[in-house]
Amino acid sequence: MTNNLHQPGTAHATADDALNAPDGRTLHALRVAGWLAAERLEVWRVAGAGPVLARLADAGLVRLVKSPRGEMYGLTPDGTARATALLATWLERAAADETAAAVGALAAFEGHDATLKQLVTDYQRQGAHGVGERLAAFHEAASEAIDAVGAAHPLWESYPGRLRSALAHVHRGETDYVTSPLVESYHTVWHLAHRDMRLLREGLTP
């Protein structure tokens, strides 16, 4: 797939490569998600995250905590600064039409946000009956905006597939995949994508 914001160049390509490399992807994922188990990084396109996390921990950018959910990784203050700087460098070197495409993708995505929030509220109040059909209808209506997000930047390319995967779980009767934060649920992935894109927009704000 050709990504609108991943065109070859000199300084821009260097910034893009740094942000899209395993270390950059890991730092970015932790900035977006907050805390993640090592195995959850696979959906962020970080294969074999153990050595990456160990390297980042040795550099003082990532820390490990033991929680009731198991071992979780998060950013240190230096890690947050590094993740922020990687995105800022990319934004400084990106062409105006590239950042405009990303902001446009966010605007289209946000146009469906209130509808999903209402669907989730109804599900929490009324139970699981019919939620699969309602979520499928929502996904179909939002599919163009979702695909635009995936095409806008390599860091976002996993979101459409992750949302489709969550929807498939719901179709199989696994209703945890509607909202649960303990799995890659539809609402969780949607929230992460929204936060991810908002971080980019915030980076564009003077």
Side-chain angles (χ1 to χ4, degrees):
M1 179 178 66
T2 299
N3 293 286
N4 296 338
L5 303 190
H6 194 48
Q7 305 301 322
T10 53
H12 183 195
T14 301
D16 216 11
D17 290 344
L19 190 57
N20 199 36
D23 287 19
R25 278 184 175 268
T26 299
L27 292 170
H28 184 77
L30 293 174
R31 186 183 178 208
V32 173
W35 293 91
L36 289 170
E39 59 270 18
R40 290 285 289 270
L41 283 162
E42 185 173 350
V43 297
W44 298 82
R45 308 290 172 86
V46 181
V52 177
L53 289 165
R55 181 167 60 249
L56 294 173
D58 287 344
L61 302 178
V62 164
R63 64 191 180 104
L64 168 67
V65 299
K66 297 185 184 296
S67 76
R69 294 169 56 186
E71 293 186 342
M72 305 288 287
Y73 290 87
L75 296 179
T76 64
D78 285 348
T80 299
R82 175 61 175 156
T84 303
L86 283 170
L87 182 58
T89 299
W90 182 87
L91 288 170
E92 288 171 2
R93 297 174 179 178
D97 60 339
E98 295 172 333
T99 54
V103 172
L106 170 58
F109 186 89
E110 287 184 328
H112 298 277
D113 193 56
T115 304
L116 181 62
K117 287 179 179 177
Q118 186 60 55
L119 188 156
V120 167
T121 298
D122 292 345
Y123 161 70
Q124 292 170 335
R125 289 176 177 172
Q126 301 170 12
H129 180 72
V131 69
E133 291 78 6
R134 294 195 301 274
L135 191 60
F138 169 82
H139 186 83
E140 182 176 359
S143 61
E144 185 175 344
I146 291 168
D147 289 343
V149 169
H153 195 281
L155 288 175
W156 301 348
E157 66 188 4
S158 70
Y159 287 122
R162 290 160 68 182
L163 288 167
R164 288 192 297 270
S165 177
L167 181 61
H169 280 283
V170 176
H171 279 164
R172 292 195 291 269
E174 301 170 60
T175 54
D176 282 355
Y177 281 84
V178 179
T179 61
S180 174
L182 301 180
V183 296
E184 281 273 299
S185 71
Y186 197 97
H187 186 251
T188 294
V189 176
W190 183 277
H191 171 75
L192 291 171
H194 196 186
R195 172 166 165 73
D196 202 338
M197 290 184 287
R198 288 176 66 184
L199 287 173
L200 184 145
R201 184 172 62 189
E202 289 167 9
L204 292 169
T205 304

